[in-house]
Amino acid sequence: MAKFGIGQSVRRVEDPRLLTGGGRYTDDTKLAAPAARAYVLRSPHAHADIRRIDTAAARKAPGVLLVLTGEDVTKADFGDVPCLVPLENRDGTPRGETSRPMLAKARVRHVGDPVALVVAETLEQAKDAAELIEIDYAARPHTVGTYESAQPGAPLVHDHIKDNIVFDWEMGERAKTEAAFAKADKIVKLQIVNNRLVVNSMEPRGAICEYDPKDDRSTLWVSSQGVSMIRPVVADMILKIGSPKLRVRTGDVGGGFGMKIFVHPEYPMVVWASRLLKRTVKWIPDRQEAFQSDVQGRDHVSIAEMALDKDCHFIGCRITTYAALGAYLSHFSAFIPTLAGSSMLVGLYQTPAIYVNVKGVLTNTVPTDAYRGAGRPEAAYLLERFVDHIARASGLTPDEIRARNFVKPGQIPWKTALGDTYDSGDFETVMRKGMEKADWKAFPSRRAASEARGKWRGIGMATYVEKCGGGGAPETAIAKFNDDASVTLYLGNQTNGQGHETAIRQIASARLGIDAERIAIVQGDSDVTPEGMTGGSRMVSVAGVATLGVADKIIAKGKLVAASVMEASAADIDFADGAFKIVGTDRTMSLFDVARAARDPKHVPAGEKAGLDDEFTRMPEADTFPNGCHICELEVDPDTGTLDILNYSVMDDFGSALNPLLLQGQVHGGVGQGVGQALSEKTVYDKESGQLMSGSFMDYALPRADIVPHVHFDMHNSPCTTNPLGVKGAGEAGAIGAPPAVLNAIISAIHPHTGLEHLDMPVTAASLWAAIDARRGRKAA
């Protein structure tokens, strides 16, 4: 790997180990003693009272070690699984609370709600014993529709939450927006659905807990996006044993996408069971269980209205969103459709007056929370699908409606109507370059060629802006020098497959001037790693800047130590290529020689500790605002509803590129997820029974290779001014731009033949054929 410069395309150093079977995921954890196996018995009902639970037969079953129910949770006086985000309603009152015990006590509220935990010597014994548990349920009315659940008369998920609206939140200036609508020359309206998704990371969630009787201390191994988020919730808030009694560790993680940030009920269950049995307990779900228990994503119904003047400038925007939150508020679920995403409803446009109202809706379904992009994709899809609709209603092309309303480079820094400040960007240039890359001008001739073959061709664009890479939370980098002339960096965030090890090594290698092989990265151990979290595309812009900061502190102190050893003035010491040198001479000391010398207190400035070990905490001063333009070109077969994506182009502004190859990989993966949402993925609950109908890969369609396009990726970067690396977050961008680009292309293809102006995701072959067939022969007005 040698030495790297920032900006080089370096292949991921993790890949050879992971691709050759060297990964250590939760289920691969090496244990000191054989683990007892845990199985969670879950509710078969969407909503029901628990009249009685009889566990006597299960407790006597072969191999059974422990059976726990909600009654045991009550006796132990454990806390609930919490929502960590306070929120204020429009009327100034706090949002509602939804009590969520580890195991259901008197009522279950969704199919899959945990009811009992069985621990046995083997998983098969635990499953067999669970079948012996007798439960008398009294079914209650249920509700699963996002909009319908918020209407008067819908069954209540929690009796104290009126109309199932757990919060009624607003952003923006209502009076100013109403005034804009009052003077508008044209008002355009559209209702948009953002379909619910199951996360489906390659590695399912899992939890293993070891118990050390000597210290009365537990070690929880869990697939996470940062152990420091898990420990206080499990130890302090739920089990009340105190954080010092719990060590949380994470090894390799096979995908997170937001879902693995949170404490799910199984984590404290496993720790609790392990402490009761004083032995190791292991819970690994199968995929069907994951469908019923992992927090899910998206699920919004929105009504968007835009006021335009005579020149088609946006002068006011009103948006009302019904955001389904499931049966309970998850950790950040109150944050995702409100503070996380709503300010992005301004997009890249100059709209001077915007009012957003978000109603958090409880349903008898699995809770929702962050999923790749966490509110930002929902906002971008709503706005960019709407802007294309406005263009068509106004007789303008998709690029012209955007160009008229974009914030101009000379207006930056630009404070939006919803309070954010864009520090950099050239939005129209990014769009125009994207159009050039997609060969937009020649599209009419390609459309004519398709028509000659009986196919309908469409092209769609979506611009986007994302607020990320900040989040108001710090990241710390700790550097320790080892005896073998190497450095170990300890970080609080957690790689989930994004290439953290490569990126951090690249920054440290470039700054310290040492071979990357001499730099080791440690994550995922609450005993030694600092606080931090992976999420919100903040790894490089926050943790990377912390790495830069600790390297600079090492160099600054190293100059003083080198000056002492070489008996020179610190002002005459220069540092380059991993060595300290007296300017104008050939006298040098390597970084590692200076680190060894620094262990002698006589070479260290008075009052400072010996050694070059150091740490740096980066508190982001502002968010970053990556932006870009996605363009999708596709062809529809009107006789079957099948479609083929023929070309997919992306032009992004990521500020500056630490590693263009890593960026490209992140964008490709994000586009795959976005195309999956647009064309195939949908979580379906049956209205009559409340059952999860898409509860396995037989019924839930992840994107297949034949629908994920090759992505033509490029950048036109405007350096970010709010961090020293000049970078903007990039990990979620592909999933943000893809859904509206694909849907806009579909409408472009079918509108001239059918007059259809909108379809909801996912647009499957069956749904597209049905829409075409219903309008066959009808032309656009």
Side-chain angles (χ1 to χ4, degrees):
M1 194 172 176
K3 297 175 185 175
F4 291 136
I6 290 175
Q8 287 182 260
S9 286
V10 178
R11 290 186 179 275
R12 300 197 312 185
V13 299
E14 302 94 325
D15 286 355
R17 174 175 64 83
L18 298 176
L19 292 172
T20 56
R24 288 294 175 88
Y25 301 91
T26 302
D27 198 27
D28 303 317
T29 303
K30 289 188 175 180
L31 303 171
R37 296 303 299 269
Y39 176 76
V40 180
L41 180 64
R42 300 182 181 278
S43 168
H45 298 280
H47 200 192
D49 290 323
I50 301 174
R51 289 174 172 169
R52 181 180 61 88
I53 300 180
D54 185 347
T55 62
R59 294 177 192 275
K60 296 175 183 177
V64 171
L65 302 169
L66 185 66
V67 179
L68 296 169
T69 67
E71 183 179 354
D72 299 299
V73 175
T74 300
K75 289 178 181 177
D77 192 30
F78 288 143
D80 288 338
V81 181
C83 175
L84 301 177
V85 179
L87 202 69
E88 192 174 276
N89 293 315
R90 290 195 289 174
D91 63 6
T93 60
R95 62 160 174 79
E97 293 286 353
T98 57
S99 176
R100 187 188 188 189
M102 277 185 283
L103 292 165
K105 295 179 180 179
R107 191 184 296 184
V108 292
R109 290 183 165 87
H110 68 86
V111 172
D113 213 352
V115 177
L117 179 73
V118 181
V119 184
E121 294 291 354
T122 70
L123 180 59
E124 290 72 20
Q125 289 173 332
K127 287 182 176 181
D128 289 345
E131 292 186 3
L132 300 176
I133 297 175
E134 296 181 6
I135 305 176
D136 182 10
Y137 289 107
R140 297 176 64 95
H142 60 267
T143 182
V144 297
T146 304
Y147 179 78
E148 295 81 1
S149 296
Q151 303 310 305
L156 297 181
V157 180
H158 292 262
D159 294 342
H160 65 289
I161 305 295
K162 183 182 178 183
D163 295 333
N164 293 314
I165 298 177
V166 71
F167 59 77
D168 186 358
W169 177 90
E170 66 181 356
M171 173 181 271
E173 297 182 74
R174 186 172 190 172
K176 185 177 180 180
T177 304
E178 296 296 339
F181 274 81
K183 67 179 182 182
D185 286 273
K186 187 180 186 67
I187 295 174
V188 182
K189 184 176 181 179
L190 183 65
Q191 179 171 306
I192 295 175
V193 174
N194 203 296
N195 42 319
R196 178 183 282 235
L197 304 176
V198 177
V199 177
N200 281 314
S201 52
M202 282 204 301
E203 180 200 14
R205 287 189 302 119
I208 303 171
C209 189
E210 298 177 291
Y211 178 72
D212 182 356
K214 182 180 61 175
D215 298 322
D216 186 32
R217 195 163 189 250
S218 302
T219 297
L220 173 65
W221 291 86
V222 64
S223 186
S224 80
Q225 290 177 230
V227 296
S228 63
M229 173 66 70
I230 304 292
R231 183 166 75 157
V233 176
V234 171
D236 300 327
M237 302 178 74
I238 301 176
L239 297 180
K240 304 177 184 178
I241 59 176
S243 287
K245 291 288 186 182
L246 181 65
R247 180 184 189 184
V248 182
R249 302 193 66 182
T250 294
D252 290 313
V253 178
F257 309 116
M259 181 266 291
K260 291 182 180 174
I261 294 173
F262 317 112
V263 171
H264 292 70
E266 297 84 5
Y267 304 165
M269 278 189 227
V270 169
V271 177
W272 179 26
S274 174
R275 293 180 70 82
L276 288 174
L277 294 171
K278 296 186 172 15
R279 63 175 290 184
T280 301
V281 174
K282 180 177 185 177
W283 170 77
I284 303 292
D286 61 23
R287 190 63 69 171
Q288 184 174 356
E289 186 175 11
F291 270 86
Q292 294 184 358
S293 61
D294 296 348
V295 292
Q296 297 170 355
R298 315 294 192 232
D299 201 347
H300 293 180
V301 174
S302 299
I303 298 95
E305 300 172 275
M306 187 71 79
L308 297 92
D309 67 13
K310 59 182 177 60
D311 297 316
C312 294
H313 294 124
F314 303 158
I315 61 172
C317 184
R318 286 189 301 231
I319 294 171
T320 300
T321 290
Y322 294 80
L325 303 170
Y328 308 98
L329 291 178
S330 179
H331 275 17
F332 294 160
S333 62
F335 174 72
I336 303 307
T338 57
L339 294 162
S342 287
S343 68
M344 293 295 93
L345 288 166
V346 70
L348 298 172
Y349 309 112
Q350 299 184 44
T351 316
I354 303 177
Y355 177 72
V356 180
N357 175 213
V358 180
K359 301 179 190 297
V361 183
L362 298 178
T363 56
N364 291 116
T365 64
V366 174
T368 60
D369 211 309
Y371 174 69
R372 194 172 190 171
R376 282 72 53 86
E378 294 91 317
Y381 175 69
L382 189 161
L383 185 62
E384 288 300 294
R385 181 75 274 282
F386 189 32
V387 167
D388 248 43
H389 184 72
I390 295 167
R392 188 166 285 109
S394 304
L396 298 178
T397 61
D399 58 306
E400 178 58 27
I401 191 72
R402 289 172 170 85
R404 288 192 189 190
N405 289 283
F406 277 152
V407 175
K408 311 304 181 188
Q411 296 172 301
I412 292 176
W414 173 264
K415 187 170 183 178
T416 75
L418 294 177
D420 290 316
T421 299
Y422 298 163
D423 66 287
S424 57
D426 186 348
F427 311 137
E428 184 171 355
T429 297
V430 168
M431 180 184 72
R432 298 297 179 196
K433 287 199 165 196
M435 294 173 71
E436 290 174 15
K437 193 170 189 67
D439 193 16
W440 187 284
K441 286 183 179 179
F443 171 73
S445 63
R446 298 193 297 273
R447 168 174 267 177
S450 295
E451 295 276 357
R453 294 184 291 105
K455 301 293 180 68
W456 300 348
R457 187 180 285 244
I459 192 167
M461 70 162 59
T463 61
Y464 77 91
V465 61
E466 179 190 5
K467 178 180 180 179
C468 64
E475 293 284 345
T476 298
I478 300 171
K480 294 186 177 181
F481 284 81
N482 306 311
D483 291 336
D484 62 351
S486 66
V487 178
T488 300
L489 289 168
Y490 298 83
L491 299 167
N493 57 17
Q494 181 66 49
T495 186
N496 299 164
Q498 303 95 328
H500 285 197
E501 188 175 344
T502 302
I504 294 297
R505 279 188 174 191
Q506 195 165 351
I507 293 168
S509 174
R511 200 64 150 193
L512 295 176
I514 58 177
D515 288 350
E517 285 83 354
R518 293 182 179 272
I519 302 166
I521 310 297
V522 174
Q523 298 175 308
D525 185 346
S526 64
D527 274 6
V528 297
T529 53
E531 290 195 5
M533 182 194 75
T534 291
S537 298
R538 60 199 308 273
M539 200 285 287
V540 172
S541 61
V542 188
V545 172
T547 301
L548 199 69
V550 75
D552 287 343
K553 288 181 72 176
I554 288 168
I555 293 167
K557 186 175 181 181
K559 286 182 178 181
L560 300 176
V561 174
S564 173
V565 174
M566 293 189 287
E567 299 180 336
S569 168
D572 293 331
I573 302 296
D574 193 19
F575 180 80
D577 297 325
F580 296 90
K581 178 180 181 180
I582 300 177
V583 177
T585 75
D586 59 359
R587 296 182 62 197
T588 65
M589 290 181 71
S590 75
L591 174 64
F592 294 106
D593 287 337
V594 171
R596 281 188 286 269
R599 295 176 181 175
D600 186 341
K602 73 180 182 182
H603 293 308
V604 177
E608 293 195 26
K609 64 181 181 181
L612 285 190
D613 295 355
D614 219 322
E615 64 180 72
F616 183 88
T617 298
R618 167 69 175 179
M619 174 60 83
E621 59 194 65
D623 294 288
T624 72
F625 295 94
N627 59 89
C629 179
H630 287 224
I631 297 177
C632 175
E633 186 170 337
L634 50 77
E635 199 174 60
V636 170
D637 183 341
D639 294 325
T640 63
T642 58
L643 63 81
D644 292 313
I645 296 178
L646 305 175
N647 187 44
Y648 199 101
S649 302
V650 176
M651 186 67 61
D652 277 320
D653 173 2
F654 288 142
S656 65
L658 167 69
N659 184 324
L661 191 61
L662 284 184
L663 281 179
Q664 188 170 4
Q666 288 291 290
V667 172
H668 284 190
V671 168
Q673 285 181 282
V675 169
Q677 179 174 10
L679 299 181
S680 65
E681 294 187 56
K682 185 179 183 181
T683 310
V684 179
Y685 287 89
D686 180 63
K687 181 179 179 180
E688 298 303 319
S689 67
Q691 294 294 317
L692 177 63
M693 305 302 289
S694 53
S696 75
F697 289 144
M698 293 293 290
D699 306 295
Y700 185 94
L702 285 179
R704 271 57 168 181
D706 61 346
I707 71 168
V708 177
H710 175 76
V711 178
H712 302 278
F713 168 73
D714 206 345
M715 291 177 283
H716 178 78
N717 290 329
S718 299
C720 179
T721 64
T722 60
N723 67 73
L725 285 171
V727 296
K728 302 173 184 177
E732 299 156 304
I736 294 173
V742 173
L743 264 292
N744 287 342
I746 292 170
I747 299 303
S748 167
I750 68 174
H751 180 265
H753 305 275
T754 66
L756 281 166
E757 296 185 334
H758 181 67
L759 294 172
D760 284 321
M761 300 185 291
V763 180
T764 64
S767 68
L768 183 54
W769 180 86
I772 292 170
D773 187 62
R775 301 288 290 260
R776 194 170 293 276
R778 293 174 61 179
K779 300 285 186 178

